[in-house]
Amino acid sequence: MEVSWETSVTDSINTIYLLFSAYLVFMMQLGFAMLCAGSVRAKNAMNIMLTNVVDAVVGSLSYFLFGFAFAFGGGSDSNPFIGTHYFALKDIPSSSYDYSFFLYQWAFAIAVAGITSGSIAERTQFSAYLVFSFFLTGFVYPVVAHWVWSSNGWLSPGSTNLLFGSGSIDFAGSGVVHLVGGVAGLCGALIEGPRVGRFDAFGNPVQMRGHNATLVVLGTFLLWFGWFGFNPGSFNKILVSYPDSFDQGNWTAVGRTAVTTTLSGSTAGIVTLFGRRLLVGHWDALDVCNGVLGGFVAITSGCSVVEPWAAIVCGFFAACVLIGLNIIALNLQYDDPLEAAQLHGGCGAWGLIFTGLFAKEEFVIQTYNSGNLGITRPYGLLLGGGYGLIGAQIVECVTIMVWVSVTMGPLFYLLHKLRILRISSDEEIAGLDISSHGGYAYNAHSEENGPQRYGDYLRLQEQS
């Protein structure tokens, strides 16, 4: 059947839009690398940057072989729990997916492993990263993605059997991406325990600040830039018109989504700035950067279905959640160098609940039914939309936490029992760069009076 030139042009523009969004999301890997490098001590900078590269390269193969199939592999024998087709991209392109869609979803998958890496930074054996990154991107995350984003997933808002008549709205992944990564990081950090010297003999926290605020700020802005592919790009197609309006379509919703993303992150940054000023007595750039990211994480679920004013509410409470969880973490002697579990897990969970409270019916129909007339759907509870949506959001939140805990928890525990999870105290004190990677990331290293070259480190080991 011959395709009209109008259809060809439309498909080409939509493909270019999706590919450009994929490139933006992949740019977030650079943002994660800079953020992580600046947030750890100088003696571990090379290690954390290498783990970010490993997350990408290992996750690429894992997602190609298994992950995409588990996430989107529908078919005659498809089920609402896990996909069963498209292993190693067999039969791609298909009538449903093409290579550009795979690339976009791959960029999401490798971001999950990057989140988890931050929680267990500065004390984890390099081989452990290889194992958990492969398992997380190849199985744990894709199963959740299938539940919510596949057309036949049991939580999907596009399913024929909608949970509570609604399905769960997690447009760009506050739960699917960020809550998954945050809970996985929480499991790893709890099993490993805090870094050497993080808490004194009386259980009081000892400050271990990152070594480079410049890298943290650079990473934050790179992530901000990438989020414009993460959230608006999740429409997948930009040339979709709405039947009830001659001048509105997905292109309108894309712009609104970018605005809500910006407002939520900005509000969270301001609230964190003043909140931390009241708590610690000074203006802290690193805290503000995490606050901004917390706002982005929270709005990611409902970015396409809420008004701009609601995004400000989202960012305000995201900052409160992050500040509160950080206080609780210190009181419980929980150590997370990048606050990844609190930021991505806590703010991701809040984002799911927020969507269930503030989603606007008109925007829900535009996002999931292309604005078709005569359709009604549950929407935000506080806007009069009933309990269907908020119920589905809570179910997604709880289910993700349970699923990730029962899959990643045993994996980290097994690595711990096999003694391939945490490095020794001597190696940790010397720094992972010198003990595992042959030297420091910087030529001039004056952080501690430790060995300056790998040979020096080996001689010290022989003498001990």
Side-chain angles (χ1 to χ4, degrees), residues 265-324:
S266 300
T267 303
I270 292 173
V271 173
T272 305
L273 175 68
F274 287 97
R276 291 295 295 172
R277 174 67 172 81
L278 293 174
L279 290 173
V280 301
H282 59 265
W283 311 101
D284 195 312
L286 305 187
D287 286 336
V288 173
C289 287
N290 275 350
V292 170
L293 297 178
F296 291 151
V297 168
I299 196 62
T300 295
S301 169
C303 55
S304 65
V305 297
V306 299
E307 293 273 15
W309 65 264
I312 296 175
V313 176
C314 178
F316 179 89
F317 285 102
C320 297
V321 168
L322 179 59
I323 293 172

Side-chain angles (χ1 to χ4, degrees), residues 32-53:
F32 276 126
M34 296 299 99
L35 180 72
C36 291
S39 298
V40 301
R41 290 165 291 177
K43 63 184 181 181
N44 297 309
M46 183 185 295
N47 171 263
I48 197 69
M49 286 190 286
L50 181 57
T51 60
N52 276 270
V53 175

Side-chain angles (χ1 to χ4, degrees), residues 56-191:
V57 296
V58 172
S60 298
L61 295 176
S62 178
Y63 198 70
F64 164 74
L65 293 171
F66 313 107
F68 186 79
F70 289 148
F72 297 101
S76 57
D77 58 344
S78 62
N79 64 81
F81 177 76
I82 191 171
T84 55
H85 290 75
Y86 306 137
F87 290 99
L89 296 189
K90 186 178 184 298
D91 299 325
I92 295 291
S94 69
S95 58
S96 302
Y97 308 115
D98 59 10
Y99 291 118
S100 59
F101 183 79
F102 165 79
L103 192 75
Y104 185 68
Q105 294 300 328
W106 157 78
F108 274 64
I110 61 176
V112 180
I115 294 169
T116 305
S117 298
S119 292
I120 56 177
E122 297 200 290
R123 59 200 189 276
T124 305
Q125 293 190 43
F126 186 71
S127 57
Y129 285 107
L130 301 174
V131 176
F132 90 75
S133 181
F134 190 89
F135 185 64
L136 183 60
T137 56
F139 179 66
V140 178
Y141 160 78
V143 169
V144 178
H146 183 82
W147 297 347
V148 182
W149 289 341
S150 174
S151 59
N152 53 10
W154 68 278
L155 284 170
S156 173
S159 171
T160 54
N161 298 307
L162 296 173
L163 180 68
F164 304 143
S166 169
S168 179
I169 295 178
D170 191 4
F171 182 67
S174 287
V176 175
V177 176
H178 297 283
L179 185 56
V180 168
V183 174
L186 176 67
C187 293
L190 287 175
I191 291 173

